[in-house]
Each structure stands twice: as C-alpha cells, then as structure tokens.
Amino acid sequence: MCKNFLVILICFYSLTVSLNAQNQGDQLFLQRCKVCHTIGDGKLIGPDLANIQNRRTKEWIIKFVQSSQSLIKSGDSVAVAVFNQHNKVVMPDQDLNANQIKSIIEFIAINSPDANNPSQKTPAQIFSPALVTNLDIERGRKIFDGTSRLTNNGPSCISCHNVNYAGMFNGGLLAIDLTGAFTRLGAAGIDGILRNPPFPSMVNGFGSSPLTDEEVKSLLAFLYETNKKSALQFSSLQLQFTLLLGIVVGLNIVLIVLLIRWHSVKKYSTNLR
Amino acid sequence: MNLYNNFFFVAFPYVAVIMFLIGTIYRYRATKFKYSSIASQFLETRRLYWGSVPFHWGIIFLFFGHLTAFLVPRYVLLWNQQPLRLAILEITAFVAGILTFLGLINLFYRRLSNPRIKKVTNYADIILEILLLTEIFFGLWVAYAYRWGSSWFAVVIAPYLKSIFEFNPQTDAIVMLPLVVQLHIIFAFLILLLIPFTRLVHLLVFPLSYLWRPYQKVIWNWNRKKIRNPKMGWTIHKPQNN
C-alpha cells in the first residue's frame, strides 16, 4: 500500500515537473541569456538570437549552451566560427537540462520577428495600450469564446484555455490559463504564438487555418484588458455549480426512466412467478 | 522518453488494430458459437438490469460521441461554438460516463458475488471489467479535470487518430498531453486489442435484425410453474436445445 502510494506520488511529481518545464522558457531567458543576447535587437556581447531555431538544430544549441568550450575543442566548425566571430569571448557553461534549453528555444522562436517579412509590421508592433477600444475588446472576447466564427475556421480559444473575465463563459483546462498572459508574454509573445504557434496542439488547430492579423489584434486587446483587470477577477464558481446541477438533473432523469422500465422488466424466471 | 512515446502511440496502436482484425476473423471462423456476449440473463436478472441497462446506454452514447468527434471534428467544433450547446454536450456526455461507470460497478459486483454468475466467469471477464472500469474512470477524470474535452478532442486527438489510419503517425501533440489523457488513449487501444479474445466481440454481432424480425412464439409442452430440483433426473422431458 505504502509502496503504491509512493509510486503514485513519484508519477504525479514527474508529471508536474515535466509540465512546469514547458513554461519556464521566458524566466530562464531573462535569468540566463538576456545579459548577453537579444531577440531581434542586435548583437550585445553574444549574437542576436532571433530565429536561432531556423539557423541551428536543437541538438547543436543544447550542446553549445551546456558547454560551448567542449564543442569548440571537439573541432565543431560552426562552434569555432561563432567563437571567432564574437571576439573569442567564452560563453560560460550553463547548468541547464535539455528540456530547459528547449523551452528557451521555444521562447526565442515565439518572440522572434517574422523571418520572411522583417519589414512588415506585426499586430504586436502596431499594438498600443492607448489605442485599445471597447470594440476591439468585445471583438476579442467573442473570438476567444467562439461566438464569433474565425475567418479560416480555426477552433475557438475557449476549447483549451480559460480566462477570468466578468461575464465570460469559463474556458477549457487542457492548456495554461491566459488571464495573466499579457504580463508573462507581452504583446510580441502572444502575437508570435498566435501567428506561428510553437505548440503541436495549436499547430493542429491553426496550422492550416491561421488567424488573420485583425483577429490577432482583437485578441491582443482582449488579453490586455483581461490582464489589466486580473486582480479584480475571481475564478467563477457559477459554471461549476451549473455543470454539477446539470449532471444531477441528468442522472435523475435517467433514474426515473430506468424505474419506469423496471416495472415491465421480467424479474424472475417463469417457474418462480 | 522517445522510446516510450514511440511504443505507446505509434507501435502499440498498430499492434492493437492488427490483433483486433486478425483475432476477430480467426475467432469468428474457429469458434463461431462462442462469438457472443455469453449472456447470463437466465442465471440472474434483477441486478443485471441495474448494471447492464445503464452501462449500455452510457457506453453506446460515449462510443458514438467519440466516433463522431473522430470522423467529423469540424462539425463538433461548430456545435460547440455556442457556450450553451457546449455545456449541454459536456453535461450529457458526463452523465453518460457516470451511468457507464455505475452500471459497470454493478455488473462487476454481480459477477463477483452471485454464485451462479461466478460459475460462468473466467479470467478474461475479470480482466476486461477491470480494464473497462479503469478506462471509464480515466475518462471521467479527463472530462472533469481538463474540461471541454469534446472541443480539444477535435483539435488534438482526432488529427492523431487520423494520422494513424493514414500510416503517418503524428504524435507531437499527443506526447504533450497530461498523463491521464495519455493513459486513457493507451487503455482504449488495449481494450481494442482484447475485443476478439473476450465477450466484447458481441458488439460486432449485434443482432440488428431483431429490430424488424417477427415475434417468435415459444411453446412449452410441460408445466412451467412446477419447480424442478436440478439434482433430480428429468421426469418430463430432457431439454433438447443444447
């Protein structure tokens, strides 16, 4: 019994750890990389990392981050060239595991400018809190909860995400809650995720049915507003209560039907009646 | 981790489908008369009603619900576009899940507690009922803890299942799912694999023709009210039907 409990605990722990690892790219980038690197703002001590995922393989990046000098000493020509280009400044070894580095790469990917159209302004670049109108917010809310159909027939955000926003139908719980997304990711981060989704589930939903720039703009406005009011919003218990009530009513209806049928059901074999 | 993912979400589904196809055909050819649910209604009826009826109502709804979301995910998403419709679908599905779960618990209890049913129970029945109970429990857990499964099934699971049938398995989204959802999928394939080897085969030979065939008149040519001691020899007629 004790052993089983321990196994269950370990399973839950590993699950939690692996799920947390997916969301720590932004923090890790700020703590470990931002001192020497930018995403799209040019070279600092180290190179600009914008769209690094398109220039190097994940495996190579993981090796370089964990120990750049080992890679250089092994004779890797790309590593040697990068080292020479940046005045032979040694990048300190980072005590990060592969999953953590992958989460940083993901963060960089979603915050990088569009590699194909660097001159075209993205919704995030146009976005300004001062220009957010109530109409934008309302439009974004309807896109989020699905009452407005998306131009390219993508799924509504509510399928997987929740936000705490007054009068809003509660969203799904499969993916992360987006109430404070604006603080965590900023306009550029949200815009990047919406237009170039890095998560496989979102690729399934929006890969062939992308959001339009107008829809992204409305969603940015709505998420900005949600974030701004997040301190005043509480998770609604009303929906849970309604769902519970619905389930109890449904079960009672079925029970009544079963009881009605019970009268006409043969309960004993013929010779026992 | 890759090995685990490749095994459970690429290799295992194919093993399950192939075993299901070959096993079904083999069993139908080899043991045709055992190709049924091996009904025990003659042995016990009262508890069977409170187990079998809710279980079957629930599982039929859930089976066709999952099938619809797999075959026409787009239309499920369109239905779910209005929050009220989404709530109605989710509540109905959850009620069906609870019915299935309670019905199966009842059936399991009946199988373990009734001496007449115990006589006709084999290991496969026990294993199957435990697997089904676990699978339904996981399903209820997923529906409660990761709500709006009807919507995200259409976005995450349906493309994966489609990719399996197109012989181009795409597991990127599946491996990111919570463990309990993954277990629900793995157990579903395990149950699919076991169908040919258990009484579950009856779902493939559902007697649909009973719905339109004429009534059969059964005539007994001895006194049906007379209680017979099964240990005594037959004094009237020996049954001729088996």
Side-chain angles (χ1 to χ4, degrees):
Chain A
M1 184 67 192
C2 208
K3 269 185 191 170
N4 290 346
F5 183 67
L6 202 66
V7 169
I8 291 168
L9 263 185
I10 292 169
C11 288
F12 272 105
Y13 174 74
S14 8
L15 179 67
T16 318
V17 168
S18 65
L19 287 177
N20 282 343
Q22 293 164 13
N23 301 321
Q24 49 185 215
D26 51 346
Q27 290 162 20
L28 289 171
F29 184 85
L30 293 176
Q31 290 163 3
R32 307 289 187 109
C33 318
K34 208 178 173 212
V35 175
C36 304
H37 300 278
T38 70
I39 306 172
D41 289 334
K43 181 183 158 187
L44 289 179
I45 299 168
D48 183 342
L49 296 179
N51 293 309
I52 186 77
Q53 76 283 357
N54 299 335
R55 301 197 299 274
R56 310 271 183 271
T57 64
K58 273 186 186 168
E59 291 69 30
W60 187 90
I61 299 172
I62 291 167
K63 277 185 200 162
F64 194 88
V65 172
Q66 285 175 336
S67 178
S68 60
Q69 284 304 301
S70 307
L71 201 60
I72 291 161
K73 281 174 192 161
S74 73
D76 184 287
S77 57
V78 179
V80 173
V82 170
F83 185 57
N84 292 334
Q85 271 171 21
H86 294 88
N87 307 322
K88 300 192 175 180
V89 176
V90 176
M91 174 170 154
D93 291 354
Q94 301 294 319
D95 182 22
L96 296 170
N97 62 37
N99 279 340
Q100 288 173 314
I101 298 171
K102 278 181 191 168
S103 69
I104 296 175
I105 299 171
E106 232 162 53
F107 175 77
I108 294 170
I110 60 180
N111 284 284
S112 295
D114 189 343
N116 299 324
N117 296 304
S119 58
Q120 191 184 333
K121 288 206 165 183
T122 63
Q125 286 163 338
I126 299 167
F127 179 82
S128 159
L131 299 175
V132 170
T133 64
N134 284 340
L135 189 68
D136 287 334
I137 296 167
E138 185 55 18
R139 215 179 277 151
R141 191 185 70 79
K142 285 184 173 169
I143 290 171
F144 194 95
D145 75 7
T147 40
S148 278
R149 205 165 151 186
L150 294 172
T151 311
N152 295 320
N153 295 322
S156 60
C157 316
I158 209 175
S159 304
C160 302
H161 297 283
N162 182 52
V163 285
N164 294 329
Y165 187 75
M168 176 92 179
F169 190 71
N170 292 43
L173 298 178
L174 183 71
I176 195 163
D177 186 297
L178 296 180
T179 310
F182 218 91
T183 304
R184 287 200 308 272
L185 302 165
I190 295 171
D191 178 34
I193 292 177
L194 290 176
R195 287 184 307 113
N196 300 299
F199 308 111
S201 307
M202 284 187 73
V203 174
N204 281 350
F206 298 105
S208 54
S209 321
L211 291 158
T212 62
D213 281 1
E214 201 54 37
E215 286 163 348
V216 173
K217 196 179 140 222
S218 304
L219 280 170
L220 282 173
F222 172 65
L223 290 173
Y224 171 75
E225 183 70 5
T226 310
N227 190 76
K228 200 171 80 176
K229 292 185 174 168
S230 60
L232 307 169
Q233 310 286 345
F234 297 97
S235 178
S236 164
L237 288 174
Q238 198 188 344
L239 180 90
Q240 275 94 323
F241 180 73
T242 313
L243 289 179
L244 190 68
L245 190 70
I247 290 164
V248 171
V249 170
L251 281 172
N252 275 295
I253 292 171
V254 177
L255 183 67
I256 291 167
V257 176
L258 283 170
L259 281 168
I260 292 169
R261 283 195 74 229
W262 178 238
H263 279 291
S264 56
V265 165
K266 188 173 169 171
K267 301 179 187 70
Y268 299 99
S269 57
T270 311
N271 57 3
L272 289 178
R273 272 194 300 176
Chain B
M1 205 59 184
N2 269 339
L3 186 71
Y4 154 84
N5 291 331
N6 284 337
F7 176 74
F8 282 113
F9 301 115
V10 180
F12 188 58
Y14 285 114
V15 171
V17 172
I18 291 168
M19 290 290 278
F20 168 72
L21 290 175
I22 295 176
T24 304
I25 295 165
Y26 171 77
R27 256 205 76 187
Y28 192 75
R29 288 169 65 94
T31 56
K32 197 176 270 187
F33 285 106
K34 286 189 180 173
Y35 208 88
S36 83
S37 63
I38 314 168
S40 54
Q41 195 171 5
F42 281 149
L43 305 175
E44 198 278 338
T45 312
R46 293 172 69 89
R47 190 172 279 279
L48 179 73
Y49 175 80
W50 292 102
S52 179
V53 175
F55 171 74
H56 281 96
W57 284 2
I59 200 84
I60 287 168
F61 180 89
L62 294 176
F63 175 75
F64 283 105
H66 283 70
L67 190 67
T68 309
F70 165 55
L71 293 177
V72 284
R74 221 181 99 104
Y75 292 100
V76 176
L77 285 174
L78 278 178
W79 169 270
N80 284 348
Q81 213 161 21
Q82 291 298 329
L84 178 66
R85 294 197 304 231
L86 169 66
I88 289 172
L89 177 61
E90 289 279 336
I91 288 172
T92 316
F94 203 83
V95 168
I98 292 177
L99 272 184
T100 315
F101 193 59
L102 294 180
L104 194 57
I105 288 176
N106 223 343
L107 287 175
F108 196 41
Y109 176 72
R110 169 181 177 267
R111 187 160 291 285
L112 296 179
S113 62
N114 188 307
R116 303 179 85 182
I117 308 298
K118 264 167 107 174
K119 282 277 179 202
V120 293
T121 296
N122 57 34
Y123 285 122
D125 298 334
I126 304 283
I127 292 169
L128 181 68
E129 289 197 2
I130 291 173
L131 277 177
L132 281 171
L133 272 174
T134 317
E135 174 70 347
I136 297 157
F137 177 72
F138 284 149
L140 287 170
W141 184 356
V142 169
Y144 175 76
Y146 303 100
R147 71 176 169 230
W148 308 158
S150 58
S151 283
W152 57 253
F153 183 103
V155 181
V156 184
I157 315 269
Y160 160 68
L161 293 175
K162 194 174 158 218
S163 75
I164 292 276
F165 287 100
E166 288 173 347
F167 298 102
N168 179 26
Q170 300 294 324
T171 59
D172 293 354
I174 296 295
V175 300
M176 305 274 282
L177 287 174
L179 183 65
V180 61
V181 185
Q182 294 183 343
L183 286 172
H184 188 63
I185 297 169
I186 294 168
F187 271 65
F189 281 117
L190 185 59
I191 291 167
L192 179 74
L193 186 153
L194 289 178
I195 285 178
F197 310 106
T198 58
R199 62 178 66 223
L200 269 188
V201 286
H202 76 278
L203 68 90
L204 300 171
V205 285
F206 188 79
L208 278 175
S209 59
Y210 281 22
L211 294 175
W212 55 81
R213 71 155 198 210
Y215 286 114
Q216 286 178 346
K217 192 170 185 180
V218 178
I219 300 173
W220 303 73
N221 53 3
W222 67 81
N223 182 4
R224 289 184 289 147
K225 301 284 180 192
K226 187 174 176 185
I227 294 173
R228 189 176 61 79
N229 180 355
K231 287 181 183 168
M232 296 286 287
W234 282 88
T235 53
I236 312 165
H237 289 283
K238 190 178 177 188
Q240 299 292 313
N241 59 345
N242 52 21

